Every structure is written in C-alpha cells, then in structure tokens.
Amino acid sequence: MSLGEGGESEIDVETIHGRNWPSVTQFSVFLENRVGQVLEVVRSFHGSKVKIVGLTISDSADCSILRLILSHPEQGREILSLNKHPFAENELVAAELPSSSASLADMCLALLRAEINIHYAYPLIHQPHGRPAVAMHIDNNEQASRSLHEMGFEILCEADLSN
C-alpha cells in the first residue's frame, strides 16, 4: 500500500516526528567492465518471483555499477548473495506522477522548494498504478517524501512494486 492511498506502509520504521515514510531498496551491484556481466546478474533472478522493476547502469573504464530495484528485495538479496554478486544497498524515494497535470518539473520544483538535492534518478520499469514513476537518491528521504506528498505525488513502497 502506498502512502496517500489511506493505508499503512509495509515499512515499520517510525521517525522522530511520528511519520512512516516509505522507501524502496536499491541494490548497487558491482561488475567488471566486460561483456555479459549485466546478463549474468539478470539471469540470476530467472525462475524466482523476483522481478527487476527499476534499473540503471553507470559505467567507467574499470567497472560498472548496476543499480536495481527489485519486486521482492529480501529474496533478491539472497539471490545476489548466493550468486556471489558483490552489492551494496540504500534506500530511495519512489514517486508516481499523478493523473492530474503535475509533471516531472513539478516534482523537481517540490524538491527544490524543500532544498533537497537529487543525486540521481531513474524511471521504474514497473508502473504499479499505470502511471509513470521515478526512483530518486536524494539528500533527505523523509523531507522529500513529505514535500512530494503535499504536492500531490504518491510515494511508493516496496509492497507497491511486488504486485
């Protein structure tokens, strides 16, 4: 259930302000910069219930970082570990653009007004409610979620991505 749909988030962490802002887990998988590495990671999930719902790749001369958002992060973590793919995790804010006329520019404006930097962002492959969604690595997840929610953006949680 997403924040903004009137239900409880799957995440059970309460902030000092008494809020329960959802986030999604991103896995940053470290790869050698050689042919077939991305396919090897993607194939790791075949035959499981884990689906890749967001993906971006950063490349350098020596290595690549494959950033993934998975439909079932607990099982995804196990699969990555069992297949000996080195990875790190962090929490991102994922937000949908509303059905109204709000745009990506409005999303950026809401974050600018809250003085929150976007370090990187990428679209989600899976659109839980049929609307475009963006995952963002930002300065302050709680403040960003609050600001976006106040501007009419629906904040997604991991339960939204597992459907």
Side-chain angles (χ1 to χ4, degrees), residues 25-27 29 41 45 52 54-55 66-70 122:
T25 302
Q26 173 188 265
F27 296 91
V29 184
V41 174
F45 301 109
I52 297 171
L55 169 133
L66 173 63
R67 292 185 171 111
L68 302 170
I69 297 175
L70 303 172
Y122 51 96

Side-chain angles (χ1 to χ4, degrees), residues 15-145:
T15 67
I16 61 173
H17 301 291
R19 290 295 178 125
N20 225 2
W21 295 111
S23 62
V24 296
T25 302
Q26 173 188 265
F27 296 91
S28 298
V29 184
F30 304 100
L31 304 173
E32 293 179 39
N33 198 355
R34 61 183 173 89
V35 174
Q37 293 291 287
V38 173
L39 178 59
E40 186 179 320
V41 174
V42 170
R43 280 188 175 163
S44 299
F45 301 109
H46 283 288
S48 75
K49 69 179 182 179
V50 179
K51 305 292 181 244
I52 297 171
V53 298
L55 169 133
T56 186
I57 301 170
S58 300
D59 186 36
S60 70
D62 299 326
C63 66
S64 295
I65 300 174
L66 173 63
R67 292 185 171 111
L68 302 170
I69 297 175
L70 303 172
S71 62
H72 296 84
E74 299 81 21
Q75 292 84 2
R77 183 180 301 109
E78 290 175 25
I79 290 169
L80 289 170
S81 294
L82 288 171
N83 287 281
K84 301 189 183 338
H85 297 300
F87 66 92
E89 297 178 42
N90 53 339
E91 298 301 310
L92 303 185
V93 171
E96 280 186 324
L97 296 173
S99 307
S100 68
S101 61
S103 68
L104 191 57
D106 294 325
M107 185 180 283
C108 292
L109 181 60
L111 295 172
L112 175 63
R113 285 181 178 154
E115 299 182 8
I116 295 171
N117 291 320
I118 303 170
H119 297 286
Y120 58 84
Y122 51 96
L124 297 181
I125 298 166
H126 175 68
Q127 298 175 347
H129 305 113
R131 294 185 297 267
V134 178
M136 299 171 281
H137 183 266
I138 51 184
D139 286 339
N140 182 328
N141 286 357
E142 181 180 345
Q143 181 61 39
S145 295

